[in-house]
Amino acid sequence: MIVRCLAIRIMVLLSLILCTLRVAAQPLLPEIAVIYQDGKAIVSWNCQYDNVKSIKIQRSADSLRDFYTIGFVENIRKGPQVYVNYHPMDGENCYKVDVAFVSGLEWSSNSYCLVVDRSKPTEAPTVRSKPKLVAKDNSWTKETSQGSPLAAKTTTTVLPATTRYAKKKTGSTLKSPERENGTYGGSANTGAAYTPAKPAQSNYATTNEYGAPLKSMVADAPDTAHRTNATAVILPSQKSDTAAAKNIVLADNSPAEKPAPKVDTVANFSITGYIDAYYAYYTDSVGPGNFQKFPSTSPRNNAPSLNTAQLAVQYTADKIRAMAVFHFGDIASATWAPAPYTNIMEAHFGVKIFSKLWIDAGFFRTHFGTEYLLPAENITSSVAIGTYYEPYYESGIKLNFDPTAKLEINLFLLNGYNVFIDNNNKKSFGLGVTYALNANAGIGYTNYIGDDSPVGDSVAHLRIAHNVFFNYQYHKLKLQVGGDYITQQNSDLATSKKTAAAYSGLATFRYQCTGKLGVYTRGEAFQDKQGYLSGVITDKDGKQGGYQLWGATLGLEFKPTDESYIRLEGRRLQMSENQYIFNYDGQQYNYRYEVMINAGVTFDLLRSVRTK
C-alpha cells in the first residue's frame, strides 16, 4: 500500500509539473536565400539572435531529408551572414541553416533548393519552390544525415543505426526507412562561412562537416578558396545597403587563380555508441533476478541495471553499404534472439541496383510497428504493450525504393515473425510505405504476412498483421498515433478453426517546455481476446481468454546535452475487470504501477570520410 501511494504521489507531482512549467516563446527564423555565382552557391540570411551557441550550414539532394552538415559559422554575432559553398553538387542542392542556442534549443530555417547543371555553364541554375519554415526540437537526439523534420529512420544519430521504419525520430515527424545507409549523393564540401567583419579579418569556417580543421584560406591551398584579391559581392537582399555589403568578405574571384577542384565523397565509415542505464520499481512481485511481465525496456524490479550498451559500425559508399550493431544488457537478454545471436542487434549488407533502388540482406531490426524499442529512439522510456507483442527483429532480403522525395517503399522477404533463423520451410513477406504529407506531418503503413507454424503442424496459421501510424510535429509539440490489427487462421478458442483477431493502439504527446526540459504522456490499449498473441489465462470467473488492458504513462525528460537524457516516468497498466495477473505482497491485482528513471547517452567513437 505504501508503494502504491508513493507511485500515485509521483504521478500527481508530474501532473503538477506539466501544468505549471513555463512556456517559452519560439523565435521566428528569417528565410534563407541562395544565389549561384561563378560556380559557387552563396547562402545568405540575417542573424537576429543573442545567446547563440553555433550556426551550421546543411545541404542535401532532397528538400525534405538527408541533410548533412557542410560547415559552421565562426563569427555568430547578429547581422547579415553569408556562407559560400564552393563546390555545389551536380543536380539538386538544397540548403538550410541550423541555429543552436546556449539553452540547448535548436531551430532550423527553411530549405532553399537550386539545380546545378555543369554541362550547360551559361545557364543559370533553376530554383525549386521552398518548403515552409520549419523548426526542429533538438531535444530528441543530435541530427545527422536525416536532419530534416521529415527525415525518418535515424541511425547515425541515435546509435542504433536502425533499419526500422521510423515513425518517430529525433526531432522528426516521419522516418523514412533505411535512409541512414544512403549516400550523401555528392561532394564532401568544405565550404567557408562568412559573417560581417572588417575586410582584413578572416571569417571562414575553421572546421568541416566532420569536425576536421580546414586548410588555411591561402594561395597554397589548392582545394580551398583563396583570400588574395577577394572582392565584395552585394547580395540581392542588400543592394540598397552598400555599407552592410562592404563588411561581407566573400570568396576570391581572381581570374588568375585556378578554380578549386571538386571533392567527391568516396565512402563514409563510422563507429558510434549508445548506453542506457535505469532503476525501476514495479508493484508486481516476480522474485529477485527475474524479469517483470511484459519485459522489454527496464525489465528488472528494484535493482539498478543496464538496459543496453551498444556499438554500431556503419560503412556507406556510392554503390554499397553495410551495418552491424552489437548490444549487451537487459534488453538483449529479455527480448532478443536466442544464442548465438543474442548480442547481434542487426547486421546487413546492401548494393545499389540503380539510383533509387537498393537491395539489402542479413539481420534487421523489425520494419513493423509504430514505436521503436530503445528509449533514445522513443518519446517514452517504456514501450506500449502492443509494441511488446510486435516483432523486434527479422532476417531476410529487403528492396528499398524511393520513387519521389516524399514517398518511400520497402519490400521484404523474411524468415518469419520475430526470428532470425527460420523455424519451417515457409517464407514470409512484409511491406513498408512512408509518405511525407508536408513539412510537419507524415503517415506510414507496414504489414507482415506469413505462416510460422512449426514443422509437422498440419494446420495452417497464416498471420496477417497491419500497422498504420501518423506523426505530427510543430515547433515544441510532437504527436504520434498508431495502431495494429493482426489476424491469424485457425486460432479461435472455441473451435480452433476460425480466424482470431487482436488489435492495439497508442497515442503519445510531447511538449518541449524549455531547451532542456520536456514533458510527455501516452495512452495505450491492447485487446487479444482469443489469446493467440498473449497466451490464454483463466480469469476469476473461470473464463478463458487472452489479455485485455489499457495503460496511461506520464513522464518528464531533462537533457543535459543534445546527446544525453535523464527521464522520470510513471505508468499504470489496467487489466480487464476479472484478469488478476499481478501479485504484490501476497495479494492479486488486475493493475500494476511502474516508476522508472532512465539515463542515456549517444556518442561517436570514430567518423572517417574518404574523398578524391
Side-chain angles (χ1 to χ4, degrees), residues 155-156 159 161-163 178 180-183 267-272 312-326 346-352 358-364 398:
T155 44
T156 338
L159 151 74
T162 57
T163 55
E178 313 318 313
E180 75 279 7
N181 291 328
T183 62
N268 296 281
F269 177 77
S270 66
I271 302 177
T272 54
V313 181
Q314 181 178 5
Y315 176 81
T316 303
D318 184 49
K319 299 295 184 181
I320 62 172
R321 62 191 183 187
M323 167 75 66
V325 181
F326 306 95
E346 59 181 318
H348 45 83
F349 174 79
V351 177
K352 182 189 288 186
W358 285 77
I359 182 169
D360 298 86
F363 290 178
F364 301 93
K398 172 174 65 74

Short mmCIF file of all heavy atoms in Angstrom, two decimals, residues 155-156 159 161-163 178 180-183 267-272 312-326 346-352 358-364 398:
data_model
loop_
_atom_site.label_atom_id
_atom_site.label_comp_id
_atom_site.label_asym_id
_atom_site.label_seq_id
_atom_site.Cartn_x
_atom_site.Cartn_y
_atom_site.Cartn_z
N THR A 155 19.85 6.59 -38.13
CA THR A 155 20.74 5.92 -37.27
C THR A 155 21.94 6.67 -37.07
O THR A 155 22.09 7.15 -36.15
CB THR A 155 21.10 4.59 -37.72
OG1 THR A 155 21.36 4.60 -38.94
CG2 THR A 155 20.22 3.71 -37.35
N THR A 156 22.76 6.89 -37.68
CA THR A 156 23.95 7.55 -37.20
C THR A 156 23.61 8.52 -36.11
O THR A 156 24.43 8.96 -35.38
CB THR A 156 24.60 8.29 -38.32
OG1 THR A 156 24.15 7.71 -39.48
CG2 THR A 156 26.06 8.23 -38.18
N LEU A 159 22.58 5.84 -31.72
CA LEU A 159 23.49 4.78 -32.07
C LEU A 159 22.89 3.71 -32.93
O LEU A 159 23.40 3.38 -33.96
CB LEU A 159 24.02 4.11 -30.84
CG LEU A 159 24.34 2.69 -31.18
CD1 LEU A 159 25.57 2.62 -32.01
CD2 LEU A 159 24.48 1.88 -29.98
N ALA A 161 21.83 2.42 -35.56
CA ALA A 161 21.56 2.88 -36.89
C ALA A 161 20.48 2.01 -37.40
O ALA A 161 20.69 1.02 -38.04
CB ALA A 161 22.78 2.72 -37.72
N THR A 162 19.28 2.35 -37.09
CA THR A 162 18.17 1.43 -37.23
C THR A 162 17.78 1.20 -38.66
O THR A 162 17.93 2.04 -39.49
CB THR A 162 16.97 2.01 -36.53
OG1 THR A 162 16.74 3.25 -37.08
CG2 THR A 162 17.23 2.16 -35.09
N THR A 163 17.20 0.06 -38.87
CA THR A 163 16.70 -0.25 -40.19
C THR A 163 15.19 -0.34 -40.12
O THR A 163 14.57 -0.85 -41.02
CB THR A 163 17.25 -1.58 -40.66
OG1 THR A 163 16.94 -2.56 -39.70
CG2 THR A 163 18.74 -1.52 -40.80
N GLU A 178 15.68 3.19 -43.79
CA GLU A 178 16.99 2.91 -44.35
C GLU A 178 17.72 4.12 -44.91
O GLU A 178 18.68 3.97 -45.63
CB GLU A 178 16.88 1.86 -45.46
CG GLU A 178 16.05 0.68 -45.08
CD GLU A 178 16.33 0.23 -43.67
OE1 GLU A 178 17.46 0.11 -43.29
OE2 GLU A 178 15.37 0.03 -42.96
N GLU A 180 19.55 6.04 -43.40
CA GLU A 180 20.85 6.20 -42.79
C GLU A 180 21.91 5.47 -43.56
O GLU A 180 23.09 5.74 -43.41
CB GLU A 180 20.83 5.69 -41.35
CG GLU A 180 20.82 4.18 -41.21
CD GLU A 180 19.44 3.61 -41.39
OE1 GLU A 180 18.53 4.38 -41.75
OE2 GLU A 180 19.27 2.41 -41.16
N ASN A 181 21.54 4.54 -44.40
CA ASN A 181 22.53 3.80 -45.15
C ASN A 181 22.72 4.37 -46.54
O ASN A 181 23.46 3.83 -47.34
CB ASN A 181 22.11 2.33 -45.26
CG ASN A 181 22.18 1.65 -43.92
OD1 ASN A 181 23.01 2.01 -43.10
ND2 ASN A 181 21.31 0.70 -43.67
N GLY A 182 22.02 5.44 -46.87
CA GLY A 182 22.14 6.05 -48.18
C GLY A 182 23.40 6.88 -48.27
O GLY A 182 24.02 7.21 -47.28
N THR A 183 23.79 7.26 -49.48
CA THR A 183 24.95 8.11 -49.63
C THR A 183 24.54 9.56 -49.55
O THR A 183 23.38 9.90 -49.70
CB THR A 183 25.62 7.86 -50.99
OG1 THR A 183 24.69 8.18 -52.02
CG2 THR A 183 26.02 6.40 -51.12
N ALA A 267 33.56 7.29 -49.58
CA ALA A 267 32.92 6.42 -48.60
C ALA A 267 32.90 7.10 -47.25
O ALA A 267 33.72 7.98 -46.96
CB ALA A 267 33.66 5.09 -48.51
N ASN A 268 31.96 6.70 -46.42
CA ASN A 268 31.86 7.17 -45.04
C ASN A 268 31.92 5.96 -44.12
O ASN A 268 31.25 4.95 -44.37
CB ASN A 268 30.56 7.93 -44.81
CG ASN A 268 30.47 9.18 -45.64
OD1 ASN A 268 31.05 10.19 -45.30
ND2 ASN A 268 29.76 9.10 -46.75
N PHE A 269 32.68 6.07 -43.05
CA PHE A 269 32.80 4.99 -42.08
C PHE A 269 32.65 5.58 -40.69
O PHE A 269 33.24 6.61 -40.37
CB PHE A 269 34.16 4.30 -42.21
CG PHE A 269 34.38 3.22 -41.19
CD1 PHE A 269 33.79 1.98 -41.32
CD2 PHE A 269 35.18 3.45 -40.07
CE1 PHE A 269 33.99 0.99 -40.38
CE2 PHE A 269 35.39 2.47 -39.12
CZ PHE A 269 34.78 1.23 -39.28
N SER A 270 31.84 4.95 -39.85
CA SER A 270 31.62 5.48 -38.51
C SER A 270 31.46 4.36 -37.50
O SER A 270 30.99 3.26 -37.83
CB SER A 270 30.38 6.39 -38.48
OG SER A 270 29.20 5.63 -38.72
N ILE A 271 31.87 4.64 -36.27
CA ILE A 271 31.63 3.76 -35.13
C ILE A 271 30.97 4.63 -34.06
O ILE A 271 31.54 5.64 -33.64
CB ILE A 271 32.92 3.15 -34.59
CG1 ILE A 271 33.63 2.34 -35.68
CG2 ILE A 271 32.63 2.25 -33.39
CD1 ILE A 271 34.96 1.77 -35.23
N THR A 272 29.79 4.26 -33.65
CA THR A 272 29.04 5.06 -32.67
C THR A 272 28.62 4.17 -31.50
O THR A 272 28.57 2.94 -31.61
CB THR A 272 27.80 5.69 -33.30
OG1 THR A 272 27.00 4.66 -33.92
CG2 THR A 272 28.19 6.71 -34.35
N ALA A 312 27.79 0.44 -32.79
CA ALA A 312 27.33 0.36 -34.17
C ALA A 312 28.46 0.71 -35.12
O ALA A 312 29.14 1.73 -34.95
CB ALA A 312 26.15 1.31 -34.40
N VAL A 313 28.66 -0.12 -36.12
CA VAL A 313 29.67 0.10 -37.15
C VAL A 313 28.95 0.24 -38.48
O VAL A 313 28.16 -0.63 -38.86
CB VAL A 313 30.68 -1.06 -37.22
CG1 VAL A 313 31.74 -0.80 -38.28
CG2 VAL A 313 31.32 -1.29 -35.86
N GLN A 314 29.21 1.34 -39.19
CA GLN A 314 28.49 1.61 -40.43
C GLN A 314 29.47 2.03 -41.53
O GLN A 314 30.37 2.85 -41.30
CB GLN A 314 27.46 2.72 -40.23
CG GLN A 314 26.66 3.03 -41.48
CD GLN A 314 25.61 4.09 -41.22
OE1 GLN A 314 25.55 4.66 -40.13
NE2 GLN A 314 24.78 4.37 -42.21
N TYR A 315 29.27 1.48 -42.71
CA TYR A 315 30.06 1.83 -43.88
C TYR A 315 29.10 2.18 -45.02
O TYR A 315 28.17 1.42 -45.31
CB TYR A 315 30.96 0.67 -44.30
CG TYR A 315 31.75 0.94 -45.57
CD1 TYR A 315 32.93 1.69 -45.53
CD2 TYR A 315 31.30 0.46 -46.80
CE1 TYR A 315 33.65 1.95 -46.69
CE2 TYR A 315 32.03 0.71 -47.96
CZ TYR A 315 33.19 1.45 -47.90
OH TYR A 315 33.90 1.71 -49.05
N THR A 316 29.31 3.33 -45.65
CA THR A 316 28.44 3.78 -46.72
C THR A 316 29.28 4.30 -47.87
O THR A 316 30.11 5.19 -47.69
CB THR A 316 27.51 4.92 -46.24
OG1 THR A 316 26.74 4.46 -45.13
CG2 THR A 316 26.56 5.33 -47.35
N ALA A 317 29.08 3.73 -49.04
CA ALA A 317 29.73 4.20 -50.26
C ALA A 317 28.66 4.41 -51.32
O ALA A 317 27.47 4.23 -51.07
CB ALA A 317 30.78 3.20 -50.72
N ASP A 318 29.09 4.78 -52.51
CA ASP A 318 28.13 5.11 -53.55
C ASP A 318 27.33 3.89 -54.00
O ASP A 318 26.13 3.98 -54.28
CB ASP A 318 28.84 5.72 -54.75
CG ASP A 318 27.87 6.16 -55.83
OD1 ASP A 318 26.90 6.86 -55.48
OD2 ASP A 318 28.07 5.79 -57.01
N LYS A 319 27.96 2.72 -54.06
CA LYS A 319 27.31 1.54 -54.60
C LYS A 319 27.01 0.46 -53.56
O LYS A 319 26.23 -0.44 -53.82
CB LYS A 319 28.17 0.92 -55.70
CG LYS A 319 28.43 1.83 -56.89
CD LYS A 319 27.14 2.14 -57.65
CE LYS A 319 27.43 2.99 -58.89
NZ LYS A 319 26.17 3.32 -59.61
N ILE A 320 27.66 0.53 -52.41
CA ILE A 320 27.46 -0.49 -51.38
C ILE A 320 27.29 0.17 -50.02
O ILE A 320 27.68 1.32 -49.81
CB ILE A 320 28.62 -1.50 -51.33
CG1 ILE A 320 29.93 -0.80 -50.97
CG2 ILE A 320 28.74 -2.26 -52.65
CD1 ILE A 320 31.07 -1.75 -50.73
N ARG A 321 26.74 -0.58 -49.08
CA ARG A 321 26.60 -0.10 -47.71
C ARG A 321 26.53 -1.32 -46.79
O ARG A 321 26.14 -2.43 -47.20
CB ARG A 321 25.35 0.76 -47.55
CG ARG A 321 24.04 0.04 -47.83
CD ARG A 321 22.90 1.03 -47.91
NE ARG A 321 21.59 0.38 -48.10
CZ ARG A 321 20.46 1.03 -48.35
NH1 ARG A 321 20.47 2.35 -48.43
NH2 ARG A 321 19.32 0.38 -48.50
N ALA A 322 26.90 -1.12 -45.54
CA ALA A 322 26.88 -2.22 -44.57
C ALA A 322 26.68 -1.65 -43.18
O ALA A 322 27.06 -0.51 -42.90
CB ALA A 322 28.18 -3.02 -44.64
N MET A 323 26.09 -2.45 -42.32
CA MET A 323 25.78 -2.01 -40.96
C MET A 323 25.86 -3.22 -40.03
O MET A 323 25.40 -4.30 -40.37
CB MET A 323 24.38 -1.42 -40.91
CG MET A 323 23.84 -1.22 -39.51
SD MET A 323 24.57 0.18 -38.70
CE MET A 323 23.93 1.48 -39.73
N ALA A 324 26.47 -3.02 -38.87
CA ALA A 324 26.49 -4.05 -37.82
C ALA A 324 26.32 -3.35 -36.48
O ALA A 324 27.03 -2.39 -36.19
CB ALA A 324 27.77 -4.86 -37.85
N VAL A 325 25.37 -3.82 -35.67
CA VAL A 325 25.12 -3.26 -34.34
C VAL A 325 25.15 -4.39 -33.33
O VAL A 325 24.44 -5.38 -33.49
CB VAL A 325 23.77 -2.52 -34.28
CG1 VAL A 325 23.56 -1.93 -32.88
CG2 VAL A 325 23.70 -1.43 -35.32
N PHE A 326 25.98 -4.24 -32.30
CA PHE A 326 26.10 -5.23 -31.24
C PHE A 326 25.59 -4.61 -29.93
O PHE A 326 25.89 -3.46 -29.64
CB PHE A 326 27.56 -5.67 -31.10
CG PHE A 326 28.17 -6.15 -32.38
CD1 PHE A 326 28.90 -5.28 -33.19
CD2 PHE A 326 27.99 -7.45 -32.80
CE1 PHE A 326 29.45 -5.71 -34.37
CE2 PHE A 326 28.53 -7.89 -34.00
CZ PHE A 326 29.26 -7.03 -34.79
N GLU A 346 21.63 -6.08 -35.27
CA GLU A 346 21.42 -6.13 -36.72
C GLU A 346 22.77 -6.23 -37.41
O GLU A 346 23.79 -5.77 -36.89
CB GLU A 346 20.65 -4.91 -37.22
CG GLU A 346 21.30 -3.58 -36.95
CD GLU A 346 20.46 -2.42 -37.44
OE1 GLU A 346 19.91 -2.53 -38.55
OE2 GLU A 346 20.36 -1.42 -36.73
N ALA A 347 22.76 -6.82 -38.58
CA ALA A 347 23.96 -6.93 -39.39
C ALA A 347 23.51 -7.22 -40.82
O ALA A 347 22.91 -8.26 -41.08
CB ALA A 347 24.89 -8.03 -38.89
N HIS A 348 23.78 -6.29 -41.74
CA HIS A 348 23.29 -6.47 -43.10
C HIS A 348 24.17 -5.72 -44.09
O HIS A 348 24.92 -4.82 -43.73
CB HIS A 348 21.83 -6.00 -43.23
CG HIS A 348 21.55 -4.68 -42.58
ND1 HIS A 348 21.80 -3.48 -43.19
CD2 HIS A 348 21.06 -4.39 -41.34
CE1 HIS A 348 21.45 -2.50 -42.38
NE2 HIS A 348 21.01 -3.02 -41.25
N PHE A 349 24.06 -6.14 -45.34
CA PHE A 349 24.87 -5.61 -46.42
C PHE A 349 23.96 -5.25 -47.58
O PHE A 349 23.00 -5.98 -47.87
CB PHE A 349 25.90 -6.65 -46.87
CG PHE A 349 26.69 -6.25 -48.08
CD1 PHE A 349 27.76 -5.36 -47.98
CD2 PHE A 349 26.36 -6.74 -49.34
CE1 PHE A 349 28.48 -4.99 -49.10
CE2 PHE A 349 27.08 -6.38 -50.46
CZ PHE A 349 28.15 -5.50 -50.34
N GLY A 350 24.24 -4.10 -48.26
CA GLY A 350 23.37 -3.66 -49.34
C GLY A 350 24.14 -3.23 -50.57
O GLY A 350 25.28 -2.78 -50.48
N VAL A 351 23.49 -3.38 -51.72
CA VAL A 351 24.05 -2.99 -53.01
C VAL A 351 23.03 -2.12 -53.73
O VAL A 351 21.83 -2.43 -53.75
CB VAL A 351 24.39 -4.22 -53.87
CG1 VAL A 351 24.90 -3.79 -55.24
CG2 VAL A 351 25.40 -5.10 -53.16
N LYS A 352 23.50 -1.02 -54.32
CA LYS A 352 22.62 -0.16 -55.10
C LYS A 352 22.41 -0.77 -56.48
O LYS A 352 23.38 -0.99 -57.23
CB LYS A 352 23.20 1.25 -55.22
CG LYS A 352 22.29 2.21 -55.98
CD LYS A 352 22.98 3.53 -56.28
CE LYS A 352 23.15 4.36 -55.03
NZ LYS A 352 23.71 5.71 -55.34
N TRP A 358 17.79 0.03 -53.77
CA TRP A 358 18.82 -0.74 -53.08
C TRP A 358 18.26 -2.12 -52.74
O TRP A 358 17.07 -2.28 -52.51
CB TRP A 358 19.23 -0.07 -51.78
CG TRP A 358 20.09 1.14 -51.93
CD1 TRP A 358 19.70 2.40 -52.30
CD2 TRP A 358 21.51 1.22 -51.71
NE1 TRP A 358 20.77 3.25 -52.31
CE2 TRP A 358 21.89 2.55 -51.95
CE3 TRP A 358 22.47 0.29 -51.31
CZ2 TRP A 358 23.21 2.97 -51.81
CZ3 TRP A 358 23.78 0.71 -51.17
CH2 TRP A 358 24.15 2.03 -51.43
N ILE A 359 19.17 -3.10 -52.66
CA ILE A 359 18.81 -4.42 -52.14
C ILE A 359 19.74 -4.73 -50.98
O ILE A 359 20.96 -4.58 -51.09
CB ILE A 359 18.88 -5.50 -53.25
CG1 ILE A 359 18.43 -6.86 -52.67
CG2 ILE A 359 20.26 -5.58 -53.88
CD1 ILE A 359 18.22 -7.92 -53.73
N ASP A 360 19.17 -5.12 -49.84
CA ASP A 360 19.94 -5.41 -48.63
C ASP A 360 19.58 -6.81 -48.15
O ASP A 360 18.44 -7.28 -48.31
CB ASP A 360 19.62 -4.41 -47.52
CG ASP A 360 19.98 -2.99 -47.90
OD1 ASP A 360 19.15 -2.31 -48.54
OD2 ASP A 360 21.09 -2.56 -47.57
N ALA A 361 20.52 -7.47 -47.50
CA ALA A 361 20.28 -8.81 -46.96
C ALA A 361 21.02 -8.98 -45.65
O ALA A 361 22.09 -8.40 -45.44
CB ALA A 361 20.73 -9.87 -47.97
N GLY A 362 20.41 -9.78 -44.75
CA GLY A 362 21.04 -10.04 -43.47
C GLY A 362 20.06 -10.02 -42.33
O GLY A 362 18.87 -10.32 -42.50
N PHE A 363 20.53 -9.64 -41.14
CA PHE A 363 19.71 -9.50 -39.95
C PHE A 363 19.30 -8.03 -39.81
O PHE A 363 20.14 -7.14 -39.85
CB PHE A 363 20.49 -9.91 -38.70
CG PHE A 363 20.75 -11.40 -38.60
CD1 PHE A 363 21.49 -11.90 -37.54
CD2 PHE A 363 20.26 -12.28 -39.54
CE1 PHE A 363 21.75 -13.25 -37.43
CE2 PHE A 363 20.50 -13.64 -39.45
CZ PHE A 363 21.24 -14.13 -38.39
N PHE A 364 18.00 -7.79 -39.59
CA PHE A 364 17.47 -6.44 -39.49
C PHE A 364 16.71 -6.26 -38.18
O PHE A 364 16.22 -7.23 -37.60
CB PHE A 364 16.50 -6.12 -40.64
CG PHE A 364 17.09 -6.26 -42.01
CD1 PHE A 364 16.98 -7.45 -42.71
CD2 PHE A 364 17.75 -5.20 -42.60
CE1 PHE A 364 17.51 -7.58 -43.98
CE2 PHE A 364 18.29 -5.32 -43.87
CZ PHE A 364 18.17 -6.52 -44.56
N LYS A 398 15.69 -7.32 -48.40
CA LYS A 398 14.87 -6.11 -48.47
C LYS A 398 15.18 -5.32 -49.74
O LYS A 398 16.33 -5.14 -50.11
CB LYS A 398 15.14 -5.22 -47.24
CG LYS A 398 14.49 -3.86 -47.29
CD LYS A 398 14.69 -3.12 -45.99
CE LYS A 398 16.13 -2.80 -45.73
NZ LYS A 398 16.65 -1.72 -46.58
#
